[in-house]
């Protein structure tokens, strides 16, 4: 596989459930990101991991918990979510320190909280 | 603070030229990106500017003026498949590391 892979593509969960989103990159990048995309709003940066260390937690509620076990994998653990958390969650990776610092995005997980 | 503005929607005719503008304010500017996003899909990279001027890439060109905090994406010979959202993003290095901050996107509809 190449690029950035996210699973599942779609997820419906109740407010009391616990679920996890998974992201895997096959590009040899050293930085990974979680973004939230809601309708008609900018992509919101949630978490930044650089060299497997979290360097930014952008005022995200504690019901979202990221995990980066190695440079190729990133998880977003979800628990007791609210309906307003329904959105497209996008994972991205990049090579920090490279002259061209573009992000490669996964296809996203469409989350619906009921 | 950080602020990125771009028009919400635009329409254009197949075969025509369209220009999508983006203005930004950021404390640690380190490059500007344009991404294309079709509905339900991942954003895909289109262009990158870090110095002033025009970067051309086939039917797509992007311009940057750092002193004015301004960029535009120019799409020529429009095709129906160009109907998508176009996202302007600024690379910001305030805080000692790089991150991309996105505008809300411009939804472009191309008509026959």
């Amino acid at each position: 596989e190449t690029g950035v892979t996210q699973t599942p593509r779609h997820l419906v969960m109740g407010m009391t459930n616990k679920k996890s989103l998974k992201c895997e990159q096959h590009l040899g990048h050293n930085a990974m990101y979680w973004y939230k995309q809601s309708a008609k709003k900018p992509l919101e940066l949630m978490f930044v991991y650089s060299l497997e260390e979290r360097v930014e937690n952008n005022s995200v509620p504690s019901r979202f918990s990221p995990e980066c076990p190695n440079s190729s994998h990133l998880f977003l653990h979800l628990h007791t979510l609210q309906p307003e958390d329904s959105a497209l969650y996008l994972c991205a990776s990049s090579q920090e320190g490279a002259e061209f610092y573009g992000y490669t995005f996964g296809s996203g997980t469409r989350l619906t909280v009921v | 603070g950080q602020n990125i503005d771009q028009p919400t929607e635009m329409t254009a005719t197949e075969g025509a030229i369209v220009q999508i503008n983006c203005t930004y304010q950021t404390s640690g500017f380190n490059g500007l990106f344009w991404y294309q996003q079709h509905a339900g899909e991942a954003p895909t990279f289109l262009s990158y500017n870090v110095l002033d001027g025009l970067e051309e890439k086939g039917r797509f060109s992007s311009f940057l003026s750092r002193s004015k905090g301004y960029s535009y994406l120019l799409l020529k010979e429009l095709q129906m498949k160009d109907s998508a959202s176009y996202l302007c993003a600024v690379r910001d290095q305030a805080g000692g590391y790089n991150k991309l901050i996105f505008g809300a996107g411009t939804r472009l509809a191309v008509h026959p």
Side-chain angles (χ1 to χ4, degrees):
Chain A
E1 287 202 48
T2 58
V4 180
T5 304
Q6 288 186 246
T7 54
R9 289 296 306 274
H10 301 273
L11 177 63
V12 179
M13 60 185 288
M15 288 189 283
T16 58
N17 290 158
K18 289 184 180 181
K19 296 287 184 182
S20 295
L21 309 184
K22 179 182 177 182
C23 177
E24 184 173 1
Q25 60 98 358
H26 307 272
L27 300 166
H29 287 168
N30 58 13
M32 297 185 78
Y33 314 82
W34 279 116
Y35 280 85
K36 176 184 178 182
Q37 188 174 34
S38 304
K40 299 185 178 180
K41 292 176 69 175
L43 272 80
E44 301 170 50
L45 181 62
M46 301 175 71
F47 299 104
V48 178
Y49 276 85
S50 178
L51 300 173
E52 301 163 43
E53 180 181 340
R54 189 194 309 182
V55 295
E56 176 150 334
N57 173 356
N58 208 16
S59 302
V60 178
S62 60
R63 56 186 184 268
F64 295 91
S65 175
E67 178 189 1
C68 186
N70 55 60
S71 60
S72 298
H73 294 84
L74 185 65
F75 295 90
L76 188 62
H77 304 299
L78 316 171
H79 64 97
T80 58
L81 294 191
Q82 304 298 311
E84 60 264 29
D85 297 322
S86 298
L88 180 68
Y89 289 84
L90 289 162
C91 172
S93 70
S94 68
Q95 183 62 25
E96 183 148 6
E99 181 176 343
F100 169 66
Y101 187 80
Y103 285 19
T104 301
F105 284 88
S107 297
T109 295
R110 173 69 63 185
L111 174 67
T112 303
V113 181
V114 297
Chain B
Q2 299 152 342
N3 195 42
I4 300 173
D5 290 314
Q6 50 182 131
T8 304
E9 293 183 347
M10 298 182 72
T11 59
T13 305
E14 193 174 15
I17 299 173
V18 70
Q19 177 174 313
I20 303 174
N21 296 323
C22 172
T23 58
Y24 64 88
Q25 292 176 308
T26 185
S27 54
F29 179 83
N30 192 25
L32 188 140
F33 293 76
W34 285 95
Y35 280 80
Q36 180 191 62
Q37 186 178 25
H38 286 98
E41 297 182 14
T44 55
F45 168 78
L46 287 179
S47 71
Y48 166 65
N49 296 70
V50 66
L51 300 176
D52 291 350
L54 188 69
E55 293 286 339
E56 297 186 78
K57 206 175 185 182
R59 294 190 299 116
F60 295 77
S61 303
S62 57
F63 172 83
L64 175 66
S65 169
R66 289 172 296 171
S67 62
K68 296 181 180 177
Y70 168 69
S71 173
Y72 67 73
L73 179 69
L74 193 71
L75 293 79
K76 303 175 187 175
E77 302 169 16
L78 282 172
Q79 302 174 9
M80 298 297 289
K81 67 178 182 179
D82 297 328
S83 293
S85 286
Y86 291 85
L87 311 178
C88 174
V90 171
R91 186 169 73 192
D92 188 295
Q93 60 181 176
Y97 60 92
N98 286 293
K99 58 187 177 185
L100 279 187
I101 309 300
F102 284 83
T106 298
R107 193 160 53 250
L108 174 67
V110 179
H111 298 289

